[in-house]
Amino acid sequence: MRSTFYGFEISKSGLSYNQKALDVTAHNVANAETKGYVRQRTVGTSVAPSINMSQLANLTGNKVGAGVNLIDIVGVRDTFLDRQFRKENSIYAEWQVKAETLSFAEDILREPSDTGINAILNQFFNNLEELSKNVGSKDIRTSFMEQAVRLTETIRFKASALEDIQKEMDFRLEKSVAQVNEYIKNIAALNEQIARFESNGLRANDLRDKRDLLLDQLSEYVGIQYREETVDGKDVLKVNMTIKDETGTEREIALIDHDKYFTFGTYHKTLPDGSKDFFHSLYIQDPSSGTVIDGVNATEIGSFSSGKLKGYMDMRDGDSEDNKGIPYYIRQLDTFVENFVEKFNEVHRSGWSYPNLSEGVLSQTGIDFFDPNGLTASTMRVNDAIVKNVYNIAGSSEEVNQLINSGNNENILSLLELRDGKNVLGSFDFEEYLRSVSVDLGTQAAYANNMEENEGTVLAGIDYKRQSVSGVDMDEEMTNMIRYEKAYQASARLMTALDEMLEILINKTGLVGR
């Protein structure tokens, strides 16, 4: 015969289970706006009926189960979507950095523009043409010299603005490294807390949510691969990343191994002349192994697989056809300046200056128009001899002696011929070359913007699917609240019914007819 109180135990399990389910629902509602929180659900299982171990057959009919048992409270999460999100998040963040940086550079070098180098260069040659019409005029010479100074100042400004972008990338890289190190340390600390909490057989859902949020944030900066393994009865999270070291060799680094981890560091590399490089170099090292000097006993990082750190480094250091960063475009300006200064000076040196008899200055030749040492965009300058005395502009192809001749404008005309000559790399005139640089930058910026937009769309789609699985839906939670409440009430009502049955059995059975 069944126990008199068997039904009470079944009702009690229903009360306990549904009360816990209501608690979980309340926890979900309270954390609906908590970033990184994953909705939780109770997992129950029916309790099997007790087995009579007697050797005699059970002739009383089928056994009834013993109610419900709470076996776990789980976070509702799709690990495949998590992995996809972190992969795309890293790629998206990289292109976001590149698109923003190239947009800044494009604003600086944009052609055609009233403030662009081409516009100033065009005015420079127009003033030179005016000088060819009146080679002896001091006013026109002064106007041309001032336009030349404006050209050099414009180019230096553009170069300086690009260098400022480089410095900003370096600053952001340094700050990002500090942020990444915090993420790494916190993930390792949470690994240990989760292991301790779950050693009692419980599941640390909220701690895992915090750790997963940190993994999301870490993936924004570096491309990561991770897996969770069971070691000595506890779950162990391992996080790896792929880098290229200073030799260009691809390596996989174990970034986090449960509570052990590596950190990133920055330092200024010592240059061959003994000075320190302005820009930071990155290394990765076990934080317990001490201070690193110039990368000794550490792995120097050449580049990452993806993420913001890769974006910052590529834009700060990229100087090749495969990696067009800010240095690449500075080098394009340097190429223009080197060719322009050398070609212009070469023709100018072959001409003769105009004498200034009032100051006892005779006609001279072999004078550089631009400073011959200023062959980069950041150092280009008009020669001081020209700035201080505009008569040193060599406009004549022969010595000017006012007693014999008043000179000519043939050297000015030779300088004007440089305007349309293929003087840059033997393929471009000066204006064409500058336009080609601007077009190249515009094309790359458009590609980066397109990649950012595409990756953003993919990332948003994955995140939407992830939130549809893991996010708290208030309508669903209200429905669950009503469902669990009704189930709780039903279990309580069942217990009341059983109590009434016992009341009849104990107090009223056998009283009929007395």
Side-chain angles (χ1 to χ4, degrees):
M1 180 177 180
R2 72 184 272 287
S3 168
T4 303
F5 298 97
Y6 193 67
F8 283 104
E9 289 299 322
I10 296 175
S11 299
K12 177 184 174 183
S13 71
L15 287 172
S16 178
Y17 177 83
N18 286 292
Q19 183 178 36
K20 181 61 70 173
L22 279 169
D23 290 342
V24 171
T25 301
H27 188 53
N28 287 340
V29 172
N31 287 280
E33 299 301 321
T34 301
K35 187 175 182 180
Y37 178 79
V38 171
R39 67 189 177 98
Q40 298 176 13
R41 288 288 178 265
T42 53
V43 179
T45 185
S46 61
V47 180
S50 59
I51 300 175
N52 188 347
M53 300 304 293
S54 171
Q55 294 181 357
L56 298 177
N58 184 0
L59 301 177
T60 60
N62 294 327
K63 289 280 188 178
V64 178
V68 63
N69 187 31
L70 176 68
I71 60 173
D72 204 355
I73 299 173
V74 298
V76 183
R77 180 182 290 277
D78 189 322
T79 56
F80 173 76
L81 290 176
D82 286 339
R83 290 183 185 278
Q84 289 298 109
F85 176 85
R86 287 159 191 158
K87 177 184 176 183
E88 296 300 330
N89 191 35
S90 186
I91 298 172
Y92 170 72
E94 174 193 344
W95 285 110
Q96 189 179 38
V97 167
K98 291 182 176 180
E100 181 185 25
T101 306
L102 291 170
S103 178
F104 290 153
E106 194 176 20
D107 289 339
I108 294 169
L109 296 181
R110 189 182 301 276
E111 297 286 353
S113 167
D114 292 339
T115 58
I117 299 174
N118 252 337
I120 310 301
L121 182 63
N122 185 57
Q123 189 60 47
F124 171 84
F125 280 113
N126 289 343
N127 283 19
L128 183 60
E129 188 173 356
E130 287 298 316
L131 181 59
S132 71
K133 300 173 184 177
N134 192 349
V135 72
S137 170
K138 183 178 181 180
D139 290 341
I140 295 178
R141 283 171 174 265
T142 300
S143 176
F144 172 62
M145 180 273 295
E146 290 174 346
Q147 186 62 32
V149 170
R150 184 185 175 196
L151 174 64
T152 60
E153 289 178 344
T154 299
I155 291 175
R156 290 204 307 273
F157 171 78
K158 302 287 187 182
S160 176
L162 291 176
E163 288 170 356
D164 286 342
I165 295 178
Q166 262 191 298
K167 294 173 183 176
E168 177 65 19
M169 292 299 101
D170 188 64
F171 175 78
R172 293 188 185 186
L173 180 65
E174 183 182 22
K175 294 301 179 183
S176 296
V177 164
Q179 182 64 70
V180 167
N181 285 342
E182 283 300 310
Y183 292 150
I184 292 171
K185 293 174 185 177
N186 290 337
I187 290 171
L190 281 169
N191 285 343
E192 182 61 24
Q193 292 176 38
I194 291 169
R196 287 202 306 269
F197 188 93
E198 295 185 348
S199 63
N200 296 322
L202 303 175
R203 186 168 181 83
N205 289 310
D206 295 290
L207 291 176
R208 285 176 172 272
D209 288 348
K210 292 179 181 179
R211 186 177 69 180
D212 282 315
L213 178 60
L214 287 173
L215 286 173
D216 288 349
Q217 293 169 332
L218 179 61
S219 71
E220 183 179 347
Y221 290 87
V222 292
I224 57 173
Q225 305 89 42
Y226 60 94
R227 66 183 185 277
E228 196 168 1
E229 301 175 348
T230 301
V231 179
D232 296 332
K234 62 182 179 181
D235 290 333
V236 173
L237 178 72
K238 295 184 178 182
V239 179
N240 297 337
M241 69 171 184
T242 302
I243 66 165
K244 287 185 179 179
D245 61 23
E246 66 275 18
T247 67
T249 303
E250 193 170 277
R251 299 179 58 180
E252 187 170 287
I253 301 293
L255 196 59
I256 303 171
D257 187 353
H258 191 48
D259 58 344
K260 298 180 179 60
Y261 60 90
F262 289 88
T263 57
F264 296 114
T266 61
Y267 70 100
H268 294 294
K269 187 184 297 185
T270 301
L271 299 176
D273 62 2
S275 63
K276 291 286 186 179
D277 186 5
F278 176 81
F279 297 113
H280 293 93
S281 292
L282 263 63
Y283 62 88
I284 184 167
Q285 182 195 23
D286 185 336
S288 64
S289 61
T291 303
V292 172
I293 301 175
D294 285 353
V296 176
N297 298 323
T299 299
E300 185 174 339
I301 299 171
S303 67
F304 295 90
S305 60
S306 57
K308 279 188 174 181
L309 296 188
K310 175 176 170 57
Y312 292 141
M313 293 184 75
D314 284 354
M315 289 294 97
R316 187 196 68 176
D317 303 330
D319 190 18
S320 67
E321 290 293 331
D322 295 331
N323 183 17
K324 296 179 180 179
I326 299 303
Y328 176 84
Y329 292 102
I330 292 177
R331 182 163 59 84
Q332 304 312 301
L333 283 185
D334 289 344
T335 298
F336 166 79
V337 169
E338 181 180 4
N339 283 269
F340 185 77
V341 168
E342 289 183 344
K343 298 292 184 183
F344 203 90
N345 279 350
E346 181 182 353
V347 175
H348 192 269
R349 282 196 303 269
S350 65
W352 291 80
S353 65
Y354 202 79
N356 184 0
L357 298 180
S358 63
E359 296 181 9
V361 178
L362 301 177
S363 179
Q364 302 175 62
T365 189
I367 300 173
D368 285 312
F369 185 86
F370 293 102
D371 183 349
N373 296 315
L375 296 178
T376 64
S378 60
T379 60
M380 183 185 186
R381 283 176 175 77
V382 178
N383 194 351
D384 285 342
I386 302 295
V387 175
K388 294 176 181 178
N389 184 0
V390 295
Y391 286 110
N392 281 330
I393 297 174
S396 177
S397 62
E398 60 183 13
E399 182 179 3
V400 181
N401 186 335
Q402 292 178 337
L403 298 178
I404 301 174
N405 64 73
S406 58
N408 57 51
N409 67 349
E410 291 181 5
N411 204 51
I412 296 293
L413 296 177
S414 296
L415 290 170
L416 284 169
E417 290 177 0
L418 294 174
R419 185 176 200 171
D420 299 320
K422 304 299 183 183
N423 296 303
V424 185
L425 305 176
S427 303
F428 304 93
D429 65 40
F430 295 120
E431 293 181 6
E432 285 176 344
Y433 181 77
L434 289 172
R435 283 195 297 270
S436 73
V437 173
S438 181
V439 168
D440 189 14
L441 174 57
T443 301
Q444 189 188 3
Y447 178 74
N449 285 326
N450 187 53
M451 289 298 295
E452 179 193 16
E453 183 177 351
N454 291 342
E455 287 296 331
T457 301
V458 172
L459 183 65
I462 294 173
D463 192 41
Y464 177 80
K465 292 178 182 177
R466 194 166 74 142
Q467 290 303 317
S468 68
V469 172
S470 302
V472 176
D473 184 296
M474 296 302 292
D475 291 336
E476 183 182 356
E477 296 303 324
M478 293 302 99
T479 301
N480 287 336
M481 182 185 70
I482 295 171
R483 182 159 61 94
Y484 296 137
E485 180 187 12
K486 293 299 182 183
Y488 186 89
Q489 290 174 353
S491 294
R493 184 68 188 87
L494 178 60
M495 189 170 286
T496 300
L498 290 170
D499 181 62
E500 291 173 351
M501 290 170 62
L502 286 176
E503 172 70 19
I504 293 172
L505 176 66
I506 296 172
N507 296 320
K508 296 182 179 181
T509 300
L511 295 179
V512 178
R514 284 188 183 183

